[in-house]
Amino acid sequence: MQERLLAGAAVAVLGLTGFGPAASAQEEDGVQENRRLKTVTITAQRVEQNLQAVPISVTAISGAALEARQIDSFDQLQYVAPGLSFNAGINARQSASTIRGIGTSLFNIGIEGSVAIAVDGVVMGREGAGIFDFSDVERVEVLRGPQGTLFGKNASAGVISIVTKDPTDEFAAEFNASYGSFNETSLSAAVSGPLADGVSGRISGYSTTRDGYITNINPNAPQKDINERNEHGFRGKLRFDGSDTFDLTLGADYSKRDQASGALTLRSASSPGVGTGLLGYGVQVVGPVSAFSGIVAGPDNKQIASDAAFTSEMESYGGYAEANQKFGGFDLVSLTAYREWKSLDNNDADLIPRPFLAVNSGDLSQNQFSQEFRLVSPRNQPLTYTLGAYYFHQEMDQANTQSGTAGLDILGALPAGLLLGTDLVSTVEETNMALFGQAEYELTDKLTAIAGLRVLNSDISADLSRSVTPGAVGPFAGQSVTASPLTGNTEDTALVWRLGLQYFVNDDVNVFTTVSRGYKSAGIVSGLTINATEVGGTELPTVDPEVPTQLEAGIRAVSLDGRLVTNFTAFRSEIDDFQAQALVPGPAGIPIFSVTNAGSVETYGLEGDVTLLPMDGLTLSTSFAYTHATFDSFSEAPCYSLQPVGPGDCVDTNADGKGEYQKLDGKALAQSPEWIINGLARYDFDLTQKLGGFVQVGAQYRGDAISSNTNDPNTALDAYTLVDAQIGVNFWEDRGALSVFGRNLTDEHFVEAIVGQAFDTGGYAQFQSFESEQSFGVKLSLNY
């Protein structure tokens, strides 16, 4: 049975599950006519396994495949991993991933996302801390569905596991340089090899810069090009091989961003009417001022006229030590890590030269310590298992300031020259401890039973204080100060489990079915607009834990003598107390972020990938994800701005003509397209005896989606298809490559998110990612 696990079905997808290509279409035996797809080794279950033998829906994308598709940043991962969506938001604090329709984009340090980010096995306390360049990455594994039994904390929707490259036993060096549209310049290099007897090391670094693609046409603006890119970083590793039974790896990394980014553009201005315009008073300001400045609002708008700066500064750094001790066939693993993440940002949300929101800043500092122990049994026996203990502690401090006129000067409610402003100071402290284990037992030569369990305890505390910004005459519109700090605490203990069966039909085909219970801890709602649960009280509101239950069944198959891989997985999940955030009208007419528990959510679908080597040099692959994600029960959901009042819309419970809530039963979840389809064709060929050439074309289709969990029809996102291509030549015995690439070749226009426009009730703004721009470039890669 062990040989079957190791052979699995013998192969996977050229370093890319269901979405080609490897750096080159190499055959296992060196004969082109008999080439087979390479075996892909992953660590989705915290041990090294052949991907084809892992009973989990996983997309494993090699670093070579990421480079081949010009995927060099976290937010681009969604374009090669079906079932994954990423909402960049206006800053790293709000950024969040969605898997199978489940995810929460939050302006709230007391609640975390549903997708866990792990780097070299270390789980990030907040997703923003793991968003960095993909330089020197060995592979990225996207694990769909609840993964809480083996991976750190929470992970109720899935895990994005980033594995960086290790030191090599022989000297090796890499260099990559590219230049493209918008002066996009990327440089990366790495050196690896032995340093002394039993000691090897690796050091790498990168730098990426790009001009902005949003233009600020205000002549007095501090920046002209917005949504630029400017980041750099390095990573180092040392590996000590003390003996045949012990090794130690020390790792450290640092990355920094300092860029003018986070700008939305005006998609549509409000129309005159009751409750529209500035603070809902029927006075149109944002639309007329934008038009006067020369801005044409609409889906294609890439201009703003702001008078304040857009800033996004982020630092992420830390180190870890992983020790492995072998004894009697067992492996004892210790993983110790400490990390810090700092984020400073400012966003001029009104988008016009008015001091409505002169300062809109956030300053976050997060640090975390984690310790994990794992005991891994021998793999050559009927019963195999992994047992472990986990400890995690993090502290977060955040300071926010919102100050300006809020438009009240135009309404005559604030004397000219005066400002309103609120300063927020908040902290969150969290401790998470767990005991966990997973076992596999061979019931027969072909049938294996799977069982996993995690017992965890989560303790979260928070406090916040709000005061009037120095120089302001009162708190910002719709906000209040705190006479004494507001505090909150939530502690809960939970069981996370997984049961399953895997049946090996033969050495090339296996099927599996699993049922899993996930968990995301309760949270504390904190922020500039959040008040105590009772008038005059000091207790912060909380949200209950998010608890998914998932049924999954799949088949993994290899045929045509290892030249065809077909993998399919069907799933159905029910999520109780889904932690939902929505942008809703606030008490002063300014949209605010509200967090609540939806009653329940249902998501089901089918994922598949097919990779084929039909002829010499040609690789074809396709993958898809069909996801139907809806609110099963959300009977008191917040209404969206200007939603009609009535039984089928915003329900009016007290007959005052103003709706209080809506029913979203059966409505779609935000950022969850039903269909995502990827495809890739790559052809490698010989030009001369010393030169090789390659051509590749890739495409992705993403279906319609809704941008807001309030199901606001004005936030509907249209479907789009992106096409990229690359042509190049290999030289220096395949150690060098020079290529020309193009992205979004059909110049497809799309937006990533649509939200209500600040200070213009009934108006809408949009976020356009760089991928919506057509771009071209050239790249040089050298490997020694």
Side-chain angles (χ1 to χ4, degrees):
M1 184 63 178
Q2 174 64 12
E3 289 141 356
R4 182 179 290 111
L5 284 169
L6 293 175
V11 294
V13 266
L14 288 171
L16 180 60
T17 302
F19 200 74
S24 60
Q26 298 178 359
E27 64 281 4
E28 290 187 351
D29 58 3
V31 181
Q32 183 75 355
E33 292 77 4
N34 297 322
R35 65 189 183 124
R36 296 165 58 92
L37 292 165
K38 288 183 177 180
T39 299
V40 176
T41 300
I42 64 173
T43 53
Q45 297 192 114
R46 310 309 301 275
V47 293
E48 291 189 350
Q49 292 177 290
N50 178 353
L51 184 147
Q52 289 298 109
V54 175
I56 298 174
S57 181
V58 185
T59 292
I61 311 168
S62 71
L66 292 169
E67 291 180 8
R69 295 299 303 279
Q70 305 301 315
I71 303 298
D72 61 4
S73 63
F74 189 94
D75 55 343
Q76 296 173 315
L77 187 61
Q78 62 181 324
Y79 300 112
V80 292
L84 172 68
S85 294
F86 180 77
N87 183 3
I90 61 175
N91 56 56
R93 294 181 293 118
Q94 187 197 10
S95 301
S97 299
T98 298
I99 293 180
R100 291 176 172 173
I102 305 303
T104 310
S105 177
L106 292 170
F107 262 125
N108 199 298
I109 64 172
I111 303 172
E112 64 185 318
S114 302
V115 178
I117 307 297
V119 181
D120 290 329
V122 179
V123 176
M124 304 291 115
R126 287 295 181 265
E127 184 167 339
I131 299 175
F132 62 92
D133 190 278
F134 281 149
S135 173
D136 211 39
V137 165
E138 181 68 29
R139 66 182 179 277
V140 177
E141 301 174 12
V142 180
L143 287 62
R144 305 181 187 91
Q147 305 295 331
T149 52
L150 290 175
F151 265 97
K153 56 196 294 292
N154 299 323
S156 59
V159 172
I160 300 175
S161 177
I162 301 168
V163 181
T164 64
K165 292 183 179 180
D166 285 328
T168 54
D169 294 330
E170 297 181 356
F171 177 80
E174 302 175 14
F175 174 77
N176 296 282
S178 67
Y179 179 80
S181 304
F182 296 87
N183 288 318
E184 185 177 28
T185 304
S186 295
L187 299 171
S188 66
V191 177
S192 179
L195 300 176
D197 187 22
V199 182
S200 57
R202 184 180 189 91
I203 187 169
S204 64
Y206 74 91
S207 173
T208 301
T209 59
R210 186 196 65 227
D211 294 342
Y213 53 93
I214 301 297
T215 303
N216 194 338
I217 62 176
N218 182 350
N220 299 316
Q223 306 133 328
K224 298 301 181 183
D225 294 326
I226 313 297
N227 289 5
E228 63 181 8
R229 185 176 178 188
N230 180 21
E231 60 181 292
H232 64 271
F234 70 87
R235 175 176 293 107
K237 286 188 179 182
L238 287 174
R239 186 179 67 201
F240 301 87
D241 295 311
S243 64
D244 292 338
T245 61
F246 177 79
D247 64 80
L248 171 67
T249 299
L250 302 179
D253 65 272
Y254 173 87
S255 62
K256 181 176 182 179
R257 291 182 179 179
D258 186 359
Q259 53 200 31
S261 63
L264 305 175
T265 62
L266 185 63
R267 183 180 182 89
S268 62
S270 64
S271 300
V274 177
T276 66
L278 183 57
L279 304 183
Y281 281 90
V283 178
Q284 275 60 48
V285 178
V286 173
V289 172
S290 295
F292 179 80
S293 300
I295 293 172
V296 179
D300 297 328
N301 176 28
K302 297 178 182 178
Q303 294 180 326
I304 61 175
S306 298
D307 57 352
F310 289 83
T311 60
S312 179
E313 301 177 15
M314 187 182 78
E315 285 185 295
S316 179
Y317 52 90
Y320 75 92
E322 181 173 351
N324 295 269
Q325 176 68 58
K326 300 181 182 294
F327 60 94
F330 288 85
D331 288 328
L332 179 61
V333 182
S334 170
L335 179 59
T336 309
Y338 177 82
R339 298 201 60 84
E340 292 195 16
W341 174 46
K342 298 179 180 179
S343 176
L344 176 65
D345 54 79
N346 189 78
N347 181 276
D348 190 2
D350 57 57
L351 305 179
I352 58 175
R354 294 290 187 273
F356 291 171
L357 195 53
V359 177
N360 183 25
S361 66
D363 187 351
L364 171 68
S365 177
Q366 181 252 4
N367 66 78
Q368 65 176 69
F369 171 81
S370 60
Q371 173 64 58
E372 183 174 69
F373 294 104
R374 297 193 306 274
L375 178 66
V376 182
S377 72
R379 300 283 99 181
N380 57 351
Q381 57 188 26
L383 175 65
T384 60
Y385 53 87
T386 299
L387 303 175
Y390 181 76
Y391 173 84
F392 175 92
H393 180 81
Q394 72 172 339
E395 296 178 0
M396 287 176 283
D397 298 290
Q398 181 166 296
N400 295 88
T401 295
Q402 286 189 338
S403 69
T405 67
L408 294 177
D409 54 339
I410 293 178
L411 298 176
L414 182 69
L418 298 183
L419 297 178
L420 303 174
T422 308
D423 289 345
L424 168 75
V425 176
S426 58
T427 64
V428 170
E429 187 170 352
E430 177 185 8
T431 300
N432 187 290
M433 297 181 290
L435 297 174
F436 63 91
Q438 180 168 299
E440 303 84 22
Y441 182 70
E442 296 180 12
L443 299 174
T444 71
D445 288 343
K446 295 179 177 291
L447 183 64
T448 299
I450 305 163
L453 180 67
R454 189 182 195 93
V455 182
L456 64 89
N457 177 266
S458 174
D459 189 347
I460 304 173
S461 60
D463 64 75
L464 71 81
S465 297
R466 286 192 298 265
S467 59
V468 174
T469 303
V473 297
F476 196 69
Q479 299 172 6
S480 62
V481 298
T482 54
S484 58
L486 306 185
T487 62
N489 180 264
T490 176
E491 181 180 5
D492 49 310
T493 301
L495 295 178
V496 177
W497 50 264
R498 183 168 181 255
L499 298 172
L501 293 171
Q502 185 173 25
Y503 182 75
F504 288 85
V505 179
N506 53 48
D507 287 345
D508 293 328
V509 179
N510 72 86
V511 295
F512 67 88
T513 182
T514 60
V515 58
S516 305
R517 171 65 63 88
Y519 183 81
K520 185 172 82 166
S521 298
I524 302 174
V525 186
S526 174
L528 279 162
T529 57
I530 304 302
N531 296 318
T533 55
E534 297 180 359
V535 177
T538 60
E539 184 176 350
L540 286 168
T542 61
V543 292
D544 294 332
E546 182 177 287
V547 182
T549 303
Q550 174 184 271
L551 179 64
E552 196 171 72
I555 181 171
R556 307 285 181 259
V558 178
S559 56
L560 299 182
D561 194 26
R563 291 182 291 113
L564 174 65
V565 170
T566 52
N567 296 332
F568 299 97
T569 305
F571 66 92
R572 184 179 185 277
S573 299
E574 292 185 358
I575 300 92
D576 293 330
D577 292 322
F578 175 66
Q579 295 172 0
Q581 173 171 281
L583 190 65
V584 299
I590 300 175
I592 63 173
F593 287 95
S594 175
V595 184
T596 186
N597 287 109
S600 62
V601 165
E602 179 184 69
T603 174
Y604 61 84
L606 178 68
E607 298 149 352
D609 59 69
V610 178
T611 303
L612 173 66
L613 304 179
M615 56 178 285
D616 292 353
L618 181 62
T619 302
L620 302 176
S621 63
T622 184
S623 61
F624 70 88
Y626 169 76
T627 305
H628 185 80
T630 59
F631 289 106
D632 185 48
S633 174
F634 197 2
S635 58
E636 295 188 2
C639 299
Y640 59 83
S641 180
L642 298 183
Q643 183 171 1
V645 176
D649 284 293
C650 196
V651 179
D652 182 6
T653 58
N654 55 13
D656 63 355
K658 300 177 182 179
E660 286 76 45
Y661 64 85
Q662 63 170 318
K663 295 183 178 181
L664 288 180
D665 301 7
K667 301 297 184 179
L669 269 67
Q671 298 291 341
S672 179
E674 283 201 334
W675 283 100
I676 300 177
I677 305 173
N678 297 324
L680 184 77
R682 179 180 173 106
Y683 183 60
D684 292 86
F685 53 92
D686 292 328
L687 290 171
T688 68
Q689 288 185 342
K690 294 185 177 181
L691 294 178
F694 60 90
V695 178
Q696 69 177 40
V697 178
Q700 184 196 73
Y701 168 82
R702 296 178 74 86
D704 297 334
I706 198 82
S707 186
S708 168
N709 268 329
T710 60
N711 244 252
D712 184 348
N714 295 294
T715 67
L717 303 172
D718 294 333
Y720 61 89
T721 301
L722 296 179
V723 179
D724 62 88
Q726 187 175 171
I727 183 171
V729 59
N730 296 317
F731 58 92
W732 194 23
E733 298 179 346
D734 284 341
R735 290 180 293 180
L738 180 65
S739 61
V740 177
F741 62 86
R743 296 175 291 205
N744 193 4
L745 295 179
T746 60
D747 201 15
E748 182 91 2
H749 178 78
F750 65 95
V751 298
E752 195 169 278
I754 302 173
V755 299
Q757 170 59 41
F759 305 100
D760 190 34
T761 305
Y764 290 87
Q766 59 196 1
F767 178 78
Q768 304 175 64
S769 67
F770 180 67
E771 281 63 41
S772 66
E773 300 289 338
Q774 187 182 66
S775 61
F776 300 91
V778 60
K779 181 176 182 179
L780 172 67
S781 298
L782 301 174
N783 296 275
Y784 180 80

